[in-house]
Amino acid sequence: EISEMSERSKQNVAHGLAWSYYVGYLKIVLPRLKESMEKFSRANPKVLAHRETWKLHILVPLSCDICDDLEKADSNIQYLMDLPETTLTRAGTKRRVYKHSLYVIRDKDKHLPLAPLQLRTCVVEFATPLQSLYAMSQDEAAAFSREDRVEQAKLFYRTLEEILQGAKECAGTYRLIVYEGSGDAEAHFLSQEILRHLQQQCQEEYAVCPSSPCSTDLSLQISGSDLPQPLRSNCP
């Protein structure tokens, strides 16, 4: 009965997507990310000089509106090159390839001098399960409204953050960038949001602790900006 109630209220959609994203992807790539960036840095020492940003920056738009080409989403985000690939045999597929792309993030104010390249270079990608939430809200058969989509996107973020906080092997390898994306946002909103996170990592001295009840990102409160709250009740 509880399972049927959860299915009718769609409470299990985001929870399942978050766990699938972690088990099927993040748990595989995040522990190997630093090694991949080390190899890249040895070959390109001037590109990734700041280790504070040696993370996978995961974009989480609560609108679930994802553009496959980041350069089209924001012209101030420019593809640079790919990191060394990770090749594994998974679920019957021989030599399955996992790879990440490096981007240069430019400031919208062209009159200001650009910071060194390494301060604005990062590995960034969207949280792909949000595409499923968006597709469900566009398919009548799913009976999934826009309101359902937004609430599930918030739950996806909170669940994923909770999972990653407890994954010791992933500590210090990721940065979740959650925002209320919309088609009405300014043209360079996304690049500015990424830059803000990059600057925070370079300026602030903090350690990612998986046992901590809340990370820096989880100071977000629904009451203030309609962004997701932490799952744990003991957060301030």
Side-chain angles (χ1 to χ4, degrees), residues 2 36-37 39 55 60 118 182 192 218 234:
I2 294 175
S36 179
M37 299 189 83
K39 291 180 181 178
K55 301 173 184 177
V60 186
Q118 62 267 22
S182 98
Q192 289 300 299
L218 289 181
N234 59 343

Side-chain angles (χ1 to χ4, degrees), residues 33 37 40-41 44-57 70 76-83 100-107 114-125 175 177 191 194-199 201-202:
L33 182 63
M37 299 189 83
F40 179 88
S41 184
N44 306 272
K46 295 183 178 180
V47 178
L48 291 172
H50 287 258
R51 290 178 175 267
E52 294 89 343
T53 63
W54 286 23
K55 301 173 184 177
L56 177 60
H57 297 78
L70 274 170
N76 280 350
I77 303 175
Q78 299 179 1
Y79 170 77
L80 185 61
M81 60 186 73
D82 292 332
L83 290 180
H100 307 287
S101 297
L102 272 173
Y103 289 88
V104 175
I105 316 298
R106 297 191 176 278
D107 196 290
L114 288 176
L117 179 63
Q118 62 267 22
L119 292 179
R120 301 174 181 274
T121 305
C122 68
V123 181
V124 59
E125 60 189 51
R175 178 94 169 185
I177 302 178
S191 58
I194 297 171
L195 279 174
R196 183 175 66 83
H197 280 266
L198 292 178
Q199 290 165 356
Q201 292 171 85
C202 291

Side-chain angles (χ1 to χ4, degrees), residues 100-200:
H100 307 287
S101 297
L102 272 173
Y103 289 88
V104 175
I105 316 298
R106 297 191 176 278
D107 196 290
K108 66 177 180 178
D109 192 341
K110 303 301 182 183
H111 300 291
L112 295 177
L114 288 176
L117 179 63
Q118 62 267 22
L119 292 179
R120 301 174 181 274
T121 305
C122 68
V123 181
V124 59
E125 60 189 51
F126 283 103
T128 52
L130 295 180
Q131 288 183 313
S132 297
L133 289 178
Y134 188 86
M136 288 176 67
S137 69
Q138 303 298 306
D139 193 323
E140 292 183 1
F144 202 73
S145 69
R146 180 186 178 280
E147 291 73 20
D148 290 330
R149 184 183 75 203
V150 173
E151 289 305 313
Q152 289 300 304
K154 294 176 184 178
L155 180 56
F156 171 84
Y157 168 76
R158 295 196 301 266
T159 304
L160 183 61
E161 181 70 56
E162 184 82 359
I163 294 169
L164 289 173
Q165 282 182 349
K168 294 181 180 179
E169 68 274 18
C170 296
T173 63
Y174 68 93
R175 178 94 169 185
L176 297 181
I177 302 178
V178 59
Y179 60 94
E180 297 180 86
S182 98
D184 298 328
E186 62 175 287
H188 300 300
F189 165 80
L190 186 54
S191 58
Q192 289 300 299
E193 190 68 14
I194 297 171
L195 279 174
R196 183 175 66 83
H197 280 266
L198 292 178
Q199 290 165 356
Q200 284 179 355

